Amino acid sequence: MLVARLRYYNDKNIVPTGGDLDRVLRASSITEIDLMLRMGRLNRNVLEAIRDYAGEIRAIIKDHDAERTPYHPVMQVFETSLGKLYEGDCISLMREIESDTVDLVFADPPFNLNKLYPSKINDNLKTEHYINWCQEWLSECIRILKHGGSLFIWNLPKWNAALANFLEGRLNFLNWISVDIKYSLPIQGRLYPSHYSLLYYTKGERPRVFHPDRLPMQICPHCYGDLKDYGGYKDKMNPRGINLSDIWLDIPPVRHAKYKRRNGANELSLKLLDRIVELTTDEGDLVFDPFGGSGTTYMAAELKNRRWIGVEIGPTDDIVNRFDRIHQERGILNDYRESLNTLFTEDAHKKRVQVGLWTCESVRNKKKNGQASLFETEKR
Ligand SMILES: C[S@@+](CC[C@H](N)C(=O)[O-])C[C@H]1O[C@@H](n2cnc3c(N)ncnc32)[C@H](O)[C@@H]1O
């Protein structure tokens, strides 16, 4: 067997199959079940054995506390009338938060891509170590989440696939949202990575709050024409906009220096957090984000009159300074919100009328007047 393949199984903790499995078992004189157990990979047989011998297995499991990240003191560094910001480790902070108290958790952890963060955290962990760490902070997030509360995880599809596996049976899966943003150069032998994954879960059967914004119809920025063919359904379209789906095409990357609140990458758009806060919380609800970064979640919560708790392991000055410019952020947020919950923005509506394209009123009027061709303006 190629040494490279053995290394791959070992590094990624992948169970070999077929001929490779036979060779590994022969060379190490163990059975397949032995191998699965040693690798910590569960198949149906192993799971059944665990269920059948739960008592015996419990007795030999190591003390859970010994495996936990040690407690590091966290320090409050800033507060507003709605929120508190801490500097320190999110797991330590969460241990101090009461169970079932948070309405929304939004988490955008480091992606383990060997990036340099101002906090100098190790962003190049072994796969297993990274997943274990994610499971640890996720367990705390789940504990502090209220029944009916919502949890979102922003990550690369590769990591979110593994985290979804952990969340299965702990929270209720609602959506895998694909947010269309190109984030990497093409990689040989793979499709061009063009979306981030946003996992959306609730604690319990259904979310307590669910207010999806409706989006404006996508139109050509040059000729204002439809980008999609709505055929004979135009008169059925809701003047309040298009239903929010699980593919988000309108979230801008924060690349321009004018919008960046701290040096380096990783800052999310206020538009994304506005949408999530609006979707899942009411005014006065409590929002928590374990990975502060530049504080986008806290800013969205503050602007929308939600209470919030924030924490960042690295320097927090950029977050605090951001609150000095809250009026600018309010302007950006108001601009985003002006284009929501209507099929055409004011500007788009005006332009479409000018060039003779259909609008909700033109379609309905024509229908009311019983004209044979409903959409003759478009055929010009
Ligand atoms: C991807 S960034 C978050 C960016 C943020 N969503 C924004 O829009 O600005 C992840 C952040 O988590 C912080 N971090 C990493 N480990 C942490 C921990 N254990 N506790 C708290 N913060 C942590 C990093 O220093 C980094 O600033």
Side-chain angles (χ1 to χ4, degrees), residues 64-330:
H64 173 63
D65 279 353
E67 301 286 301
R68 297 203 313 175
T69 301
Y71 177 84
H72 301 283
V74 270
M75 197 175 59
Q76 190 188 314
V77 288
F78 176 67
E79 76 178 302
T80 69
S81 58
L82 291 165
K84 284 195 167 105
L85 176 66
Y86 297 85
E87 203 168 287
D89 172 45
C90 62
I91 297 176
S92 297
L93 176 74
M94 280 190 274
R95 287 185 196 148
E96 291 175 12
I97 300 179
E98 233 181 279
S99 300
D100 312 314
T101 51
V102 172
D103 296 280
L104 163 65
V105 175
F106 174 86
D108 168 21
F111 299 158
N112 207 30
L113 287 177
N114 202 10
K115 279 202 174 154
L116 188 64
Y117 282 90
S119 51
K120 310 217 170 48
I121 52 153
N122 180 358
D123 192 39
N124 192 20
L125 302 172
K126 240 188 128 178
T127 297
E128 219 182 323
H129 188 164
Y130 178 71
I131 299 289
N132 285 346
W133 173 69
C134 287
Q135 292 187 358
E136 196 178 351
W137 59 257
L138 265 173
S139 299
E140 283 298 319
C141 291
I142 296 169
R143 180 185 64 74
I144 64 176
L145 194 64
K146 262 188 202 163
H147 289 271
S150 301
L151 176 128
F152 287 81
I153 311 169
W154 175 269
N155 211 323
L156 306 178
K158 156 180 153 158
W159 294 131
N160 265 358
L163 301 184
N165 187 27
F166 172 72
L167 290 171
E168 178 65 22
R170 289 178 167 83
L171 290 179
N172 189 10
F173 171 84
L174 295 180
N175 289 102
W176 173 296
I177 300 165
S178 298
V179 182
D180 178 53
I181 300 179
K182 293 200 174 33
Y183 55 85
S184 158
L185 296 170
I187 305 167
Q188 235 195 350
R190 296 212 192 153
L191 301 180
Y192 193 172
S194 175
H195 82 276
Y196 282 92
S197 154
L198 180 62
L199 286 175
Y200 174 19
Y201 284 80
T202 184
K203 190 165 179 174
E205 215 163 333
R206 56 182 64 86
R208 182 183 59 81
V209 178
F210 184 72
H211 309 307
D213 277 321
R214 300 184 77 97
L215 304 187
M217 195 179 99
Q218 284 200 295
I219 56 170
C220 166
H222 307 293
C223 69
Y224 314 108
D226 306 3
L227 287 183
K228 236 176 158 181
D229 181 11
Y230 291 94
Y233 290 100
K234 296 186 184 83
D235 61 323
K236 308 234 165 26
M237 295 199 46
N238 192 326
R240 292 191 52 240
I242 309 274
N243 274 321
L244 190 60
S245 80
D246 57 7
I247 299 188
W248 296 0
L249 302 168
D250 60 336
I251 303 298
V254 182
R255 294 207 179 107
H256 197 288
K258 183 175 147 197
Y259 296 104
K260 270 188 187 285
R261 300 299 173 227
R262 68 171 184 173
N263 287 331
N266 307 311
E267 183 180 331
L268 295 178
S269 160
L270 196 56
K271 187 173 188 178
L272 175 76
L273 271 305
D274 169 58
R275 180 166 301 165
I276 292 170
V277 171
E278 186 73 25
L279 174 65
T280 56
T281 60
D282 288 321
E283 289 200 2
D285 282 352
L286 181 59
V287 176
F288 174 67
D289 181 337
F291 304 103
S294 67
T296 313
T297 308
Y298 317 141
M299 182 51 70
E302 181 84 16
L303 291 169
K304 297 172 75 66
N305 281 325
R306 274 65 170 175
R307 293 174 300 124
W308 56 271
I309 302 175
V311 57
E312 164 58 50
I313 203 164
T316 45
D317 324 14
D318 288 331
I319 305 180
V320 175
N321 295 339
R322 191 169 179 171
F323 275 81
D324 286 343
R325 298 186 302 266
I326 191 165
H327 58 283
Q328 269 177 29
E329 306 268 354
R330 182 163 281 121

Side-chain angles (χ1 to χ4, degrees), residues 302-370:
E302 181 84 16
L303 291 169
K304 297 172 75 66
N305 281 325
R306 274 65 170 175
R307 293 174 300 124
W308 56 271
I309 302 175
V311 57
E312 164 58 50
I313 203 164
T316 45
D317 324 14
D318 288 331
I319 305 180
V320 175
N321 295 339
R322 191 169 179 171
F323 275 81
D324 286 343
R325 298 186 302 266
I326 191 165
H327 58 283
Q328 269 177 29
E329 306 268 354
R330 182 163 281 121
I332 296 172
L333 186 86
N334 289 345
D335 285 351
Y336 287 143
R337 292 217 64 81
E338 253 175 37
S339 66
L340 295 172
N341 302 309
T342 177
L343 198 57
F344 301 112
T345 61
E346 226 177 283
D347 189 45
H349 184 271
K350 217 184 288 165
K351 299 273 174 36
R352 282 176 72 95
V353 171
Q354 273 167 15
V355 294
L357 290 165
W358 70 273
T359 61
C360 297
E361 305 82 65
S362 73
V363 167
R364 292 216 167 115
N365 286 341
K366 283 192 179 175
K367 197 169 183 198
K368 222 171 22 194
N369 298 337

